[in-house]
mmCIF file with all atom_site columns, all heavy atoms in Angstrom:
data_model
loop_
_atom_site.group_PDB
_atom_site.id
_atom_site.type_symbol
_atom_site.label_atom_id
_atom_site.label_alt_id
_atom_site.label_comp_id
_atom_site.label_asym_id
_atom_site.label_entity_id
_atom_site.label_seq_id
_atom_site.pdbx_PDB_ins_code
_atom_site.Cartn_x
_atom_site.Cartn_y
_atom_site.Cartn_z
_atom_site.occupancy
_atom_site.B_iso_or_equiv
_atom_site.pdbx_formal_charge
_atom_site.auth_seq_id
_atom_site.auth_comp_id
_atom_site.auth_asym_id
_atom_site.auth_atom_id
_atom_site.pdbx_PDB_model_num
ATOM   1   N N   . HIS A 1 233 ? -49.731 27.827 -17.267 1.00 0.00 ? 730 HIS A N   1
ATOM   2   C CA  . HIS A 1 233 ? -48.322 28.367 -17.231 1.00 0.00 ? 730 HIS A CA  1
ATOM   3   C C   . HIS A 1 233 ? -47.513 27.126 -17.955 1.00 0.00 ? 730 HIS A C   1
ATOM   4   O O   . HIS A 1 233 ? -47.630 26.046 -17.646 1.00 0.00 ? 730 HIS A O   1
ATOM   5   C CB  . HIS A 1 233 ? -47.963 28.618 -15.855 1.00 0.00 ? 730 HIS A CB  1
ATOM   6   C CG  . HIS A 1 233 ? -46.577 29.510 -15.916 1.00 0.00 ? 730 HIS A CG  1
ATOM   7   N ND1 . HIS A 1 233 ? -45.378 28.709 -15.826 1.00 0.00 ? 730 HIS A ND1 1
ATOM   8   C CD2 . HIS A 1 233 ? -46.204 30.713 -16.057 1.00 0.00 ? 730 HIS A CD2 1
ATOM   9   C CE1 . HIS A 1 233 ? -44.458 29.642 -16.021 1.00 0.00 ? 730 HIS A CE1 1
ATOM   10  N NE2 . HIS A 1 233 ? -44.836 30.858 -16.161 1.00 0.00 ? 730 HIS A NE2 1
ATOM   11  N N   . ASN A 1 234 ? -46.539 27.725 -18.764 1.00 0.00 ? 731 ASN A N   1
ATOM   12  C CA  . ASN A 1 234 ? -45.627 26.663 -19.469 1.00 0.00 ? 731 ASN A CA  1
ATOM   13  C C   . ASN A 1 234 ? -44.975 25.709 -18.544 1.00 0.00 ? 731 ASN A C   1
ATOM   14  O O   . ASN A 1 234 ? -44.881 24.426 -18.865 1.00 0.00 ? 731 ASN A O   1
ATOM   15  C CB  . ASN A 1 234 ? -44.473 27.491 -20.093 1.00 0.00 ? 731 ASN A CB  1
ATOM   16  C CG  . ASN A 1 234 ? -43.510 26.653 -20.890 1.00 0.00 ? 731 ASN A CG  1
ATOM   17  O OD1 . ASN A 1 234 ? -44.035 25.843 -21.735 1.00 0.00 ? 731 ASN A OD1 1
ATOM   18  N ND2 . ASN A 1 234 ? -42.351 26.959 -20.750 1.00 0.00 ? 731 ASN A ND2 1
ATOM   19  N N   . CYS A 1 239 ? -43.314 21.074 -18.748 1.00 0.00 ? 736 CYS A N   1
ATOM   20  C CA  . CYS A 1 239 ? -41.954 21.052 -18.547 1.00 0.00 ? 736 CYS A CA  1
ATOM   21  C C   . CYS A 1 239 ? -41.672 20.259 -17.377 1.00 0.00 ? 736 CYS A C   1
ATOM   22  O O   . CYS A 1 239 ? -40.985 20.721 -16.413 1.00 0.00 ? 736 CYS A O   1
ATOM   23  C CB  . CYS A 1 239 ? -41.506 22.491 -18.289 1.00 0.00 ? 736 CYS A CB  1
ATOM   24  S SG  . CYS A 1 239 ? -41.792 23.595 -19.740 1.00 0.00 ? 736 CYS A SG  1
ATOM   25  N N   . GLY A 1 306 ? -38.972 29.517 -12.007 1.00 0.00 ? 803 GLY A N   1
ATOM   26  C CA  . GLY A 1 306 ? -39.931 30.747 -12.189 1.00 0.00 ? 803 GLY A CA  1
ATOM   27  C C   . GLY A 1 306 ? -39.205 32.034 -11.704 1.00 0.00 ? 803 GLY A C   1
ATOM   28  O O   . GLY A 1 306 ? -39.407 33.170 -12.325 1.00 0.00 ? 803 GLY A O   1
ATOM   29  N N   . VAL A 1 328 ? -35.220 24.750 -12.042 1.00 0.00 ? 825 VAL A N   1
ATOM   30  C CA  . VAL A 1 328 ? -35.607 24.845 -13.407 1.00 0.00 ? 825 VAL A CA  1
ATOM   31  C C   . VAL A 1 328 ? -35.571 26.378 -13.735 1.00 0.00 ? 825 VAL A C   1
ATOM   32  O O   . VAL A 1 328 ? -36.352 27.168 -13.133 1.00 0.00 ? 825 VAL A O   1
ATOM   33  C CB  . VAL A 1 328 ? -37.040 24.254 -13.559 1.00 0.00 ? 825 VAL A CB  1
ATOM   34  C CG1 . VAL A 1 328 ? -37.385 24.319 -15.064 1.00 0.00 ? 825 VAL A CG1 1
ATOM   35  C CG2 . VAL A 1 328 ? -37.182 22.902 -12.958 1.00 0.00 ? 825 VAL A CG2 1
ATOM   36  N N   . GLY A 1 330 ? -36.669 28.335 -16.719 1.00 0.00 ? 827 GLY A N   1
ATOM   37  C CA  . GLY A 1 330 ? -37.190 28.216 -18.111 1.00 0.00 ? 827 GLY A CA  1
ATOM   38  C C   . GLY A 1 330 ? -37.946 29.383 -18.529 1.00 0.00 ? 827 GLY A C   1
ATOM   39  O O   . GLY A 1 330 ? -37.811 30.400 -17.852 1.00 0.00 ? 827 GLY A O   1
ATOM   40  N N   . ALA A 1 332 ? -41.426 30.586 -21.289 1.00 0.00 ? 829 ALA A N   1
ATOM   41  C CA  . ALA A 1 332 ? -42.398 30.198 -22.181 1.00 0.00 ? 829 ALA A CA  1
ATOM   42  C C   . ALA A 1 332 ? -41.836 30.248 -23.635 1.00 0.00 ? 829 ALA A C   1
ATOM   43  O O   . ALA A 1 332 ? -42.279 29.567 -24.607 1.00 0.00 ? 829 ALA A O   1
ATOM   44  C CB  . ALA A 1 332 ? -43.803 31.082 -22.064 1.00 0.00 ? 829 ALA A CB  1
ATOM   45  N N   . ASP A 1 407 ? -31.987 37.954 -19.679 1.00 0.00 ? 904 ASP A N   1
ATOM   46  C CA  . ASP A 1 407 ? -31.552 37.454 -18.408 1.00 0.00 ? 904 ASP A CA  1
ATOM   47  C C   . ASP A 1 407 ? -30.059 37.622 -18.252 1.00 0.00 ? 904 ASP A C   1
ATOM   48  O O   . ASP A 1 407 ? -29.295 37.265 -19.251 1.00 0.00 ? 904 ASP A O   1
ATOM   49  C CB  . ASP A 1 407 ? -31.914 36.064 -18.157 1.00 0.00 ? 904 ASP A CB  1
ATOM   50  C CG  . ASP A 1 407 ? -33.467 35.896 -17.907 1.00 0.00 ? 904 ASP A CG  1
ATOM   51  O OD1 . ASP A 1 407 ? -34.005 36.549 -17.046 1.00 0.00 ? 904 ASP A OD1 1
ATOM   52  O OD2 . ASP A 1 407 ? -34.130 34.891 -18.497 1.00 0.00 ? 904 ASP A OD2 1
ATOM   53  N N   . LYS A 1 424 ? -33.896 43.127 -18.814 1.00 0.00 ? 921 LYS A N   1
ATOM   54  C CA  . LYS A 1 424 ? -35.138 43.513 -19.314 1.00 0.00 ? 921 LYS A CA  1
ATOM   55  C C   . LYS A 1 424 ? -35.961 44.252 -18.332 1.00 0.00 ? 921 LYS A C   1
ATOM   56  O O   . LYS A 1 424 ? -35.745 44.056 -16.996 1.00 0.00 ? 921 LYS A O   1
ATOM   57  C CB  . LYS A 1 424 ? -36.025 42.179 -19.732 1.00 0.00 ? 921 LYS A CB  1
ATOM   58  C CG  . LYS A 1 424 ? -35.993 41.132 -18.696 1.00 0.00 ? 921 LYS A CG  1
ATOM   59  C CD  . LYS A 1 424 ? -36.633 39.785 -19.460 1.00 0.00 ? 921 LYS A CD  1
ATOM   60  C CE  . LYS A 1 424 ? -36.513 38.656 -18.486 1.00 0.00 ? 921 LYS A CE  1
ATOM   61  N NZ  . LYS A 1 424 ? -36.944 37.419 -19.091 1.00 0.00 ? 921 LYS A NZ  1
ATOM   62  N N   . LYS A 1 433 ? -44.523 37.533 -13.832 1.00 0.00 ? 930 LYS A N   1
ATOM   63  C CA  . LYS A 1 433 ? -43.793 38.536 -14.518 1.00 0.00 ? 930 LYS A CA  1
ATOM   64  C C   . LYS A 1 433 ? -44.582 39.861 -14.761 1.00 0.00 ? 930 LYS A C   1
ATOM   65  O O   . LYS A 1 433 ? -45.741 39.619 -15.352 1.00 0.00 ? 930 LYS A O   1
ATOM   66  C CB  . LYS A 1 433 ? -43.302 37.860 -15.832 1.00 0.00 ? 930 LYS A CB  1
ATOM   67  C CG  . LYS A 1 433 ? -42.635 36.756 -15.728 1.00 0.00 ? 930 LYS A CG  1
ATOM   68  C CD  . LYS A 1 433 ? -41.445 36.384 -14.747 1.00 0.00 ? 930 LYS A CD  1
ATOM   69  C CE  . LYS A 1 433 ? -40.805 35.154 -14.569 1.00 0.00 ? 930 LYS A CE  1
ATOM   70  N NZ  . LYS A 1 433 ? -41.654 33.917 -14.495 1.00 0.00 ? 930 LYS A NZ  1
HETATM 71  C C1  . LIG B 2 .   ? -34.340 32.924 -12.006 1.00 0.00 ? 42  LIG B C1  1
HETATM 72  N N1  . LIG B 2 .   ? -35.218 33.387 -12.969 1.00 0.00 ? 42  LIG B N1  1
HETATM 73  C C2  . LIG B 2 .   ? -36.039 32.533 -13.524 1.00 0.00 ? 42  LIG B C2  1
HETATM 74  C C3  . LIG B 2 .   ? -35.172 30.643 -12.263 1.00 0.00 ? 42  LIG B C3  1
HETATM 75  C C4  . LIG B 2 .   ? -37.474 31.544 -14.747 1.00 0.00 ? 42  LIG B C4  1
HETATM 76  C C5  . LIG B 2 .   ? -40.096 26.464 -16.133 1.00 0.00 ? 42  LIG B C5  1
HETATM 77  C C6  . LIG B 2 .   ? -39.764 27.223 -15.137 1.00 0.00 ? 42  LIG B C6  1
HETATM 78  C C7  . LIG B 2 .   ? -40.077 28.633 -15.208 1.00 0.00 ? 42  LIG B C7  1
HETATM 79  C C8  . LIG B 2 .   ? -40.762 29.079 -16.439 1.00 0.00 ? 42  LIG B C8  1
HETATM 80  C C9  . LIG B 2 .   ? -40.923 30.596 -16.368 1.00 0.00 ? 42  LIG B C9  1
HETATM 81  C C10 . LIG B 2 .   ? -41.051 28.209 -17.295 1.00 0.00 ? 42  LIG B C10 1
HETATM 82  C C11 . LIG B 2 .   ? -36.024 31.190 -13.219 1.00 0.00 ? 42  LIG B C11 1
HETATM 83  N N2  . LIG B 2 .   ? -34.276 31.574 -11.588 1.00 0.00 ? 42  LIG B N2  1
HETATM 84  N N3  . LIG B 2 .   ? -35.069 29.378 -11.980 1.00 0.00 ? 42  LIG B N3  1
HETATM 85  O O1  . LIG B 2 .   ? -41.721 28.643 -18.424 1.00 0.00 ? 42  LIG B O1  1
HETATM 86  O O2  . LIG B 2 .   ? -41.217 26.157 -18.115 1.00 0.00 ? 42  LIG B O2  1
HETATM 87  C C12 . LIG B 2 .   ? -37.255 34.023 -15.117 1.00 0.00 ? 42  LIG B C12 1
HETATM 88  C C13 . LIG B 2 .   ? -36.240 34.407 -16.186 1.00 0.00 ? 42  LIG B C13 1
HETATM 89  C C14 . LIG B 2 .   ? -37.061 33.983 -17.467 1.00 0.00 ? 42  LIG B C14 1
HETATM 90  C C15 . LIG B 2 .   ? -38.474 34.191 -17.111 1.00 0.00 ? 42  LIG B C15 1
HETATM 91  C C16 . LIG B 2 .   ? -39.386 33.412 -17.977 1.00 0.00 ? 42  LIG B C16 1
HETATM 92  C C17 . LIG B 2 .   ? -40.790 26.898 -17.160 1.00 0.00 ? 42  LIG B C17 1
HETATM 93  N N4  . LIG B 2 .   ? -36.955 30.586 -14.048 1.00 0.00 ? 42  LIG B N4  1
HETATM 94  N N5  . LIG B 2 .   ? -36.915 32.771 -14.530 1.00 0.00 ? 42  LIG B N5  1
HETATM 95  O O3  . LIG B 2 .   ? -40.805 31.318 -15.374 1.00 0.00 ? 42  LIG B O3  1
HETATM 96  O O4  . LIG B 2 .   ? -42.043 32.625 -19.425 1.00 0.00 ? 42  LIG B O4  1
HETATM 97  O O5  . LIG B 2 .   ? -36.163 35.830 -16.216 1.00 0.00 ? 42  LIG B O5  1
HETATM 98  O O6  . LIG B 2 .   ? -41.337 30.969 -17.659 1.00 0.00 ? 42  LIG B O6  1
HETATM 99  O O7  . LIG B 2 .   ? -36.575 34.607 -18.565 1.00 0.00 ? 42  LIG B O7  1
HETATM 100 O O8  . LIG B 2 .   ? -42.928 32.889 -16.983 1.00 0.00 ? 42  LIG B O8  1
HETATM 101 O O9  . LIG B 2 .   ? -38.571 33.915 -15.762 1.00 0.00 ? 42  LIG B O9  1
HETATM 102 O O10 . LIG B 2 .   ? -40.789 33.543 -17.371 1.00 0.00 ? 42  LIG B O10 1
HETATM 103 P P1  . LIG B 2 .   ? -41.977 32.505 -17.933 1.00 0.00 ? 42  LIG B P1  1
#
Side-chain angles (χ1 to χ4, degrees):
H730 189 269
N731 183 48
C736 304
V825 188
D904 291 314
K921 52 189 167 189
K930 316 303 181 315

